[in-house]
Amino acid sequence: MAAGLEYGLKGIVWKRIQDTIIADCRKSKVWKILILDPFTTKILSSCCKMSDLMSEKITIVEDLYKNREPVLEMKAIYFISPTAKCVDAFIGDFKQKPKYKAAYVYFTDYCPDDLFNNMKLYCAKYIQVCKEINLSFLPQEAQVFTFDNPGAFNSIYKPNSLDKMKTLETLADQLVTICATLDEYPGVRYKKDSKNMENAKTLAELVDNKLARHYELDDSGKKKGKTQAQLLIVERGFDPVSPILHELTYQAMAYDLIDIQKDIYQYKAKDGSEKEALLNEDDMLWVKLRHKHIAEVSEQIPKMLKEISASKKQPDGKITISNLSQMMKKMPSFRKELTEDLAVGSDVDGMKVKDPMRTLLPVLLHPYSIHDKIRAVLLYIFSLNGTTDENLSKLIQHVKIEDEREYILNWKRLGVPIITESSIFSRKPTRRDRSQEQTYNLSRWTPVIKDVMEDAVENKLDTKEWPHQSECPAAWNGSGAVSARQKHKPNAQDERRTGSRLIIFIIGGISFSEMRSAYEVTQAVKSCEVIVGSSHILTPTSLLNDIKALGKEPMETFTIEERSNA
């Protein structure tokens, strides 16, 4: 197993799979076929290698939905999601003529009674094992999880969405599996929103109820009490700046400026051939560099390449870092400074930005891409906590997006103020004072979630802003929790549970800067492991496209509604 997978969430997930699926395989001592759906394929590929499976006598891995030849002498392991589509495909393997000698069935999550009964009706004599193993999430990184569901954004925030509650129910079920996998029964809190955004509250209620049911029905036969962990739930609109800002750390910059699909960077080698680099925790160089500022990376990489080439042949043509450095150098300084000045509200000398429009105009007059101009306009609006109808109309004309104004107007769907009366701009929340922290001039913005993490660890979250859906033991103070770098030990709850864990879920997607914050706080505090997750990971472009896709609404409707709420 790769060194990068031995710790954190990936290591814990692989251990869970070993203790359930693999443990049952070992008892049989015969070679088996492993059958996966698309979601479980991603789970498994995120935490183990084919060689790991081969060593456990799993000889073939197959796709549940593809036509497969019968192998009657072999037993099949089904690691699948508890959906009607998956169960129907499973039944199809045995209903008429069985494809395999027997079936070991492992569901990622709770299987509804109707689906389970269907399986029993048609396949009972072939099923040797049927278990629910609570693994309905992807361990994206050591301290980051996702549900691989970017469509959840549209389902939750689209007006009159028909599947909003179903989506929140699914997210709640998946959040229960992350808690169960971590062996946590956390206290649940949510960010209260004054703009009638109830999604965080609804999800907190759902998760808390489902957690209670899960631990009431625990296999151990005794009810589990709350552990010293907290689960915080927030909505994407609580910090609209972080996901659209130009981030100059390596990982965030790579995903913002380069077309990276499924963590794969495609490039041309010196001989002109197409090659691929997988940007994940198997690559320890990537892990070492991903959270560093591009200026540091540019300094360090020549030294590292010398070390690498001294020990093995230097990989051909991996030019991601130099590409990014060149891109950064080509960005005019006023453009880079603009985004930071508007986001932070002050310039590099700490002077308050008195006229944000004067800061914005040079960008609107420059031939930048439409997306970049939209991002700049949004930062301007966010810095003021809303602008006037008249002012917004002028900005939209400047950017020439009269027919695509949803890029800006639809942020209202997330509870973000866009149009408001100039005389009553609402007060922005106070931020932690970071004036003494050493940062690059062009990286002065700190994601709001980092303030939240630090306040939570120090037990400083305001109970009015962060109501308790349920409380964890009073001993919570963030002290004594396991380090993120400590290897997870099986059945070592008493050894490990000496402190606390902070789990944060962001409804509507998480940005790379917010992911990085989890590592920074864990590293600084050392006594508290912070784990963050969402339905999916955002890039600035993907978020803008998601916002636009929420649909059109006449501008007048926004104006009337905002003014009536004023």
Side-chain angles (χ1 to χ4, degrees), residues 339-354:
T339 57
E340 285 297 325
D341 290 354
L342 286 179
V344 179
S346 60
D347 63 20
V348 294
D349 298 317
M351 299 297 291
K352 184 178 174 63
V353 176
K354 293 179 180 177

Side-chain angles (χ1 to χ4, degrees), residues 49-330:
K49 305 284 185 199
M50 191 63 204
S51 57
D52 296 319
L53 300 176
M54 290 285 286
S55 67
E56 302 293 351
K57 292 193 177 298
I58 294 170
T59 184
I60 303 169
V61 179
E62 296 268 30
D63 185 332
L64 175 67
Y65 298 137
K66 288 187 178 174
N67 288 327
R68 288 167 274 112
E69 290 298 317
V71 191
L72 295 175
E73 69 277 12
M74 293 189 76
K75 296 179 180 180
I77 301 164
Y78 288 80
F79 180 28
I80 57 178
S81 307
T83 64
K85 186 178 179 183
C86 284
V87 170
D88 286 347
F90 169 77
I91 291 171
D93 284 354
F94 294 93
K95 188 175 179 181
Q96 302 294 334
K97 291 181 180 179
K99 285 188 173 177
Y100 309 105
K101 185 177 181 180
Y104 292 66
V105 184
Y106 300 87
F107 287 114
T108 57
D109 197 357
Y110 171 76
C111 182
D113 290 344
D114 58 332
L115 299 182
F116 183 71
N117 291 334
N118 264 355
M119 286 172 58
K120 283 203 301 184
L121 180 64
Y122 296 109
C123 314
K125 67 179 181 179
Y126 298 105
I127 299 173
Q128 291 195 353
V129 170
C130 187
K131 292 181 180 177
E132 297 155 347
I133 65 172
N134 295 305
L135 266 181
S136 192
F137 65 92
L138 295 186
Q140 195 77 33
E141 293 182 2
Q143 291 173 237
V144 181
F145 66 91
T146 73
F147 299 148
D148 191 40
N149 184 10
F153 184 92
N154 194 278
S155 297
I156 291 170
Y157 291 113
K158 195 175 183 69
N160 305 314
S161 170
L162 299 177
D163 59 349
K164 177 176 174 175
M165 273 310 297
K166 183 181 176 184
T167 300
L168 290 172
E169 286 267 5
T170 301
L171 294 178
D173 287 332
Q174 292 179 289
L175 274 168
V176 169
T177 74
I178 183 94
C179 294
T181 300
L182 294 170
D183 197 22
E184 298 285 14
Y185 186 2
V188 181
R189 302 177 74 171
Y190 62 92
K191 178 69 170 73
K192 190 174 182 180
D193 200 295
S194 60
K195 295 174 282 294
N196 300 317
M197 300 298 292
E198 295 287 315
N199 298 313
K201 183 176 189 290
T202 303
L203 185 58
E205 290 171 351
L206 288 169
V207 171
D208 206 46
N209 290 335
K210 289 174 185 287
L211 275 170
R213 285 202 297 275
H214 173 78
Y215 284 117
E216 187 76 54
L217 303 172
D218 200 6
D219 293 340
S220 63
K222 61 179 182 179
K223 187 175 179 181
K224 184 184 179 77
K226 290 277 189 181
T227 57
Q228 287 183 9
Q230 281 200 72
L231 168 62
L232 306 182
I233 297 174
V234 301
E235 294 210 47
R236 181 62 272 162
F238 88 109
D239 177 8
V241 173
S242 294
I244 65 161
L245 199 60
H246 276 290
E247 263 271 308
L248 298 184
T249 49
Y250 184 30
Q251 182 184 42
M253 199 173 175
Y255 281 83
D256 187 2
L257 300 177
I258 295 175
D259 184 25
I260 298 171
Q261 299 294 331
K262 297 180 180 177
D263 299 330
I264 295 172
Y265 168 56
Q266 295 182 321
Y267 61 94
K268 282 192 176 180
K270 290 176 182 175
D271 61 4
S273 61
E274 294 286 337
K275 293 205 171 187
E276 292 183 348
L278 187 57
L279 304 179
N280 67 12
E281 288 178 328
D282 282 350
D283 184 342
M284 295 315 290
L285 184 63
W286 169 253
V287 172
K288 189 172 183 177
L289 296 175
R290 64 186 174 186
H291 296 148
K292 293 184 182 295
H293 192 279
I294 190 65
E296 285 183 73
V297 175
S298 300
E299 275 182 23
Q300 289 185 25
I301 204 64
K303 301 172 189 173
M304 289 181 173
L305 285 176
K306 282 182 183 177
E307 292 171 12
I308 292 169
S309 58
S311 59
K312 61 181 179 180
K313 187 175 182 293
Q314 182 179 330
D316 226 4
K318 287 192 182 180
I319 54 169
T320 318
I321 297 166
S322 57
N323 272 358
L324 291 176
S325 298
Q326 290 307 312
M327 287 181 186
M328 187 185 77
K329 287 170 185 172
K330 288 175 184 174

